[in-house]
Amino acid sequence: MLGVYLALLWWVSAHAQIDPHSFANLEDVRIRHMSLNVTLDFQRQKLAGSVTHTLFWKNPHAKKVVLDTNGLKIHGVEILGNDGAWQSATFTLSAQDPIRGRALVIHVPYQVEKLRIHYETTPDGTGLQWLPASATADKKAPFMFSQSQSIHGRSWIPMQDTPAIRITYDAQVKAPKGIRVLMSADNDPSAPNNGSFQFHMDQPIAPYLLAIAAGHLKFHSWSPRSGVWAEPAVLPRAAKEFEDTEKMIQATESLYGPYVWKRYDLLILPPSFPYGGMENPRLSFITPTVIVGDKSLVSLITHELAHSWSGNLVTNQTWQDFWLNEGITSYLENRIVEKIYGRELAEMEQVLAYRDMMNAFRTEIPKAEQGLVQNLKGKHPDDAWSPVVYNKGQFLMHTLEHVFGRAALDNFLKRYFAHFKFQTITSEKFARYIDQHLFRPNKDKGFGMAELNAWLYGPGIPKPFKPPFSARLNKLEHALTAWKSGALSTPELKAKHWSTQEWVYFLGQLAPKFDRKRLAELDHVYQLSNSPNAEIGLAWLPLAIRSGYTGAQHAVERHLGSIGRNRLILPVYRALTETPAGLATARALFEQFKNRYHPQTVQAIAALLAKAEKEQMR
Ligand code: BES
Ligand code: ZN
């Protein structure tokens, strides 16, 4: 009880400030619209030009605008005078803060309507990755892309980089001939590919959803409002793997209300993309590692699509409320999977999510950090990426479904999205709304604010809770026991046709460490080290490493050298760092591969290696 009270107290104080990860003086002034005018310089690997901010003043006495920057070179600031002429303004840059970057402080003589900043990006920025042609699938042209979430947008646009505001934008982007530029806006597949691109985004979005990508890209369309962009070498496989996308949009609409963003396209990035997917409005960015040929990993698409409701339409106000984006989305993801691919797959994914979460609770996340609302004081918001916000958030929604019934929860969610559309909310606002619209009208169900607060601020999984169950994975449990005891031989497992989820489940039950002779047998019979499926790699390689099974060494190198998605490679590096010899290997591989990794990935691995080194010194 005291714990919950203290957590509440912390929460109130943390929220006195609108967003602890931004320097912006949001009480004084907010950006309403951004107008970007930039050139992509692939030779020097930089984006340069200007951004013009249209301001909305909230405090009549304010005379200052504070913007977020990180790794930017600022050339000058101009303000639009009453006479319609631009005049230069003075500015200062604060010292570098290790998390937030540098504040750009602009003093204005009066409350100007427009402010223009001339700037360019530098290699210190973490928001853009520039790839040489050799690192692309077609090897024809260089590639660049952004990853703004959580606070990397400030490294390619000086702005109020906080989800607490919403902006519209337009952009003029120049690129070398033959390179197509796309943004999280109105990409017209038939726009000429002539080196000059215009974009408009007239629906207000949070700034972390600003996105840009450029490369040798072609388009395949599935329906009038949806299709996929990819390099020509990847396009046919992507078009096949994700051909159900239009169906997914319709399924989501039938559950949660209309898709309001007009187009919904996918963009397949090079393998160094640090995430599985990123829900950039109208254009989800997608890792190529989910194209495995059997659609077994398409829940990634249902996830990014679901963000069009939870996240992009109703947005978390700060990164401490991140579960509102990711937890609710993970639940929607699972519901869409169920609707299109059936209960069996949906249940398997729930069981895997549950197991990951319980493992994380047991081994890595202290009780004080197990509440859905995260305390990020002194932390980088990217550290909010955890099974707490994703999986526990998802299981809160499953619990509400169980307690109130599916129809009642679906109704509630539909109303919630309609009520808060194009708004930004806190966990507290969510709590008030759900109390009024779901808890109070259904008092007999015995679930109210006290129960919700236990999820939001307390550890573990509060009761009442019904753990997920999958008959298909449960069958494996029997095979597993028989195989472990030797009653069933390795070929008798009949695993040739197991799905990705079955392999991930099975191997996870052997983790963290297993008899290396048996692993060698598994590898021999089922060729796990040769699997092109990186999710299987993620389940197999750390197990092989921890068990001392050396037959997977080449696979480890191939895995770490060919992909850059953080979730798939960090656990492999982590497993290596657990012995002195492994740590040396990890260091060597990192040195070898780091120039192909994304700057955010480089940072994450460097931090992991530094931590392991410190631990082994002790
Ligand atoms: N919005 C996230 C990606 C993200 C989170 C970027 C935090 C930066 C900071 C995206 O929607 C996501 O959750 N991606 C997951 C997908 C998975 C859970 C299906 C990923 O990348 O693995
Ligand atoms: Zn997400």
Side-chain angles (χ1 to χ4, degrees), residues 458-496:
I461 294 293
K463 292 202 162 57
F465 182 69
K466 184 167 157 272
F469 177 78
S470 152
R472 182 138 163 217
L473 293 184
N474 199 48
K475 247 192 241 155
L476 280 188
E477 201 52 53
H478 299 298
L480 189 70
T481 315
W483 180 73
K484 273 186 177 167
S485 73
L488 204 63
S489 74
T490 303
E492 279 169 343
L493 273 173
K494 297 210 174 67
K496 280 244 153 60

Side-chain angles (χ1 to χ4, degrees), residues 371-389:
L372 284 175
V373 183
Q374 297 281 294
N375 180 353
L376 294 176
K377 270 255 149 72
K379 285 197 194 164
H380 196 287
D382 286 354
D383 296 343
W385 218 92
S386 91
V388 178
V389 291

